[in-house]
Each structure stands twice: as structure tokens, then as C-alpha cells.
Amino acid sequence: MDINRFYDGGQAVLRIKEADGVEICALTIAGFLGLCGGNNYGVGQCCNTLSQICTSPTGLPATFLGRSILTHKTVADAISFVKSVPHASGIAYTIASHTEWASLECSANKVCDCVTEGSPSFCHTNHPLSSDDLVSEHPYVSDSSIRRLSYLHEQIASLTSLEGVTEHDVQKWLSRHPVCLFDDHNTGFTFGSIVMVLTEAAPVFYISPGPPSITAWLKITF
């Protein structure tokens, strides 16, 4: 999660119990409803800002929507919810469980599915991969977003199989430049990172409350 540096020190983890039995673990900024996280049913959500696609002053803000996704017990229910509401912000929501995943690019005028033709892996950064609901004909895309996406694809391509990948491998990927941004880089600041092991019975969350290259990972369970 890359945001402005002045939020550093406001890292927090929310532990929420809903009335219907859903428990939520979410990385957030103090005072926010939540940024990304998962629940005790093994449903997780990560989001990426897409400044290139259209926004609306009357839609549901991203912080409300991201938190609401985590109240759903299945990926299918979460997808239905995302597709049923108007969107204020240009955001890509990647929603997953231990058996399925989806990535939805949401803007003022449409929700687009990112189709990967049955690929067992998926990566997203801060530019649209599917949506054509653009703010202009050629919107600005940062070099940082392109580099981060290329880096992640390279890490996955270097593997002979995804079956042996562990949470520790993903932590290493997220801890390295260009994904991890801190004082030595002028392209942003990594406020925190999260790795989710979304087993249905006992999901586990690893959260680094700061740039993971210099911040320890915390293990959180329900």
C-alpha cells in the first residue's frame, strides 16, 4: 500500500467482529475504515488506485467499499456487491479465497473484469489493465507502476511451479525495490504491506506496518 509519507506512524490493524459471525482483519490508517485485509471465512481484498479511470462525486467511496467487501463470506457474494453499487473512485479490487479470485476495475461508469485466461496467478499495480472508462484519451501512467508490475511478472515467470510458493517468498518480493518504496526512492512511500494465506479453516495474515524492507512482519490469526 503506497500512499503519502505523512501518514507514516498512523499504521493500524483493525480486528472487527460482525453480528453474523464474520471477523475481519484489516490494515488501515488510524481514523480510516480500512484499506485491505481479509476475514475468517478466508475471503481477502487488496486494492489499487487507478487515477486514469473516471470518478464520480455521487458514488460509494473506496474506503467504505473496501471494508464492505470483507463482510462477505464468499468471493461470489463480494463480487455481486461490488457490481451492484455506484463507484466514486477509480480502484481495482482484487478479491480472493483459497479456491478462486477476481480482479474488478471500478470507475464511475462501469465495472470491468480483468480476464487472465485461466492463469493461476495475477498481479496489479496502479494503471488499468482492462477498463476503457478513461479520464482522457491517453491518461498518465507512472513509470513506477509499470516497473512494479513488470518486476512481479518476472518473479512469477522465474518459477518452475507456483505450488511451492510460500508466504515468505511473497514477503521477499514485496520487500524489494521497485515494489517497496522508502527514503531512498522518490517515487512514493510504502505505508504497509499485507500477505494473506486464505485457507478456509484458519486464514493467516502477515502485515508489515511500514516499508517491509525495514519493517518486521507481524503474524495475525483469528
Side-chain angles (χ1 to χ4, degrees):
M1 181 60 65
D2 301 328
I3 57 178
N4 292 321
R5 177 62 187 263
F6 59 74
Y7 286 112
D8 191 23
Q11 291 89 342
V13 175
L14 297 177
R15 297 289 301 272
I16 304 155
K17 290 188 177 182
E18 300 284 344
D20 62 354
V22 173
E23 296 183 44
I24 295 170
C25 174
L27 171 66
T28 192
I29 307 166
F32 273 53
L33 293 176
L35 296 172
C36 51
N39 65 33
N40 59 323
Y41 283 82
V43 175
Q45 177 270 128
C46 289
C47 58
N48 296 87
T49 297
L50 304 178
S51 61
Q52 303 84 3
I53 58 180
C54 294
T55 61
S56 168
T58 60
L60 187 65
T63 187
F64 289 88
L65 201 144
R67 166 78 168 269
S68 296
I69 288 172
L70 300 181
T71 65
H72 292 84
K73 300 178 181 180
T74 67
V75 171
D77 286 347
I79 291 172
S80 295
F81 166 71
V82 173
K83 291 184 175 182
S84 72
V85 298
H87 294 269
S89 309
I91 301 284
Y93 299 96
T94 300
I95 308 166
S97 70
H98 69 295
T99 58
E100 58 185 322
W101 61 265
S103 187
L104 307 173
E105 294 185 346
C106 304
S107 61
N109 303 304
K110 61 172 61 177
V111 175
C112 294
D113 293 273
C114 292
V115 179
T116 58
E117 300 180 351
S119 172
S121 64
F122 179 75
C123 303
H124 209 308
T125 51
N126 297 109
H127 60 278
L129 305 179
S130 179
S131 180
D132 58 0
D133 188 24
L134 304 177
V135 297
S136 64
E137 185 175 359
H138 299 291
Y140 172 74
V141 175
S142 72
D143 291 340
S144 173
S145 183
I146 295 171
R147 285 197 301 269
R148 284 180 278 124
L149 187 62
S150 296
Y151 168 81
L152 292 171
H153 284 161
E154 289 168 3
Q155 303 314 301
I156 293 172
S158 68
L159 302 171
T160 56
S161 170
L162 289 175
E163 292 183 3
V165 175
T166 69
E167 61 270 27
H168 304 297
D169 294 314
V170 180
Q171 289 172 10
K172 289 179 182 178
W173 298 347
L174 296 179
S175 298
R176 296 171 180 160
H177 187 68
V179 174
C180 181
L181 305 173
F182 54 100
D183 287 344
D184 292 341
H185 309 107
N186 61 5
T187 52
F189 173 74
T190 300
F191 172 82
S193 296
I194 184 169
V195 175
M196 295 175 266
V197 182
L198 297 172
T199 58
E200 188 174 24
V204 181
F205 305 90
Y206 297 89
I207 294 177
S208 173
S213 58
I214 57 173
T215 309
W217 292 89
L218 309 174
K219 181 179 180 180
I220 300 174
T221 60
F222 290 110

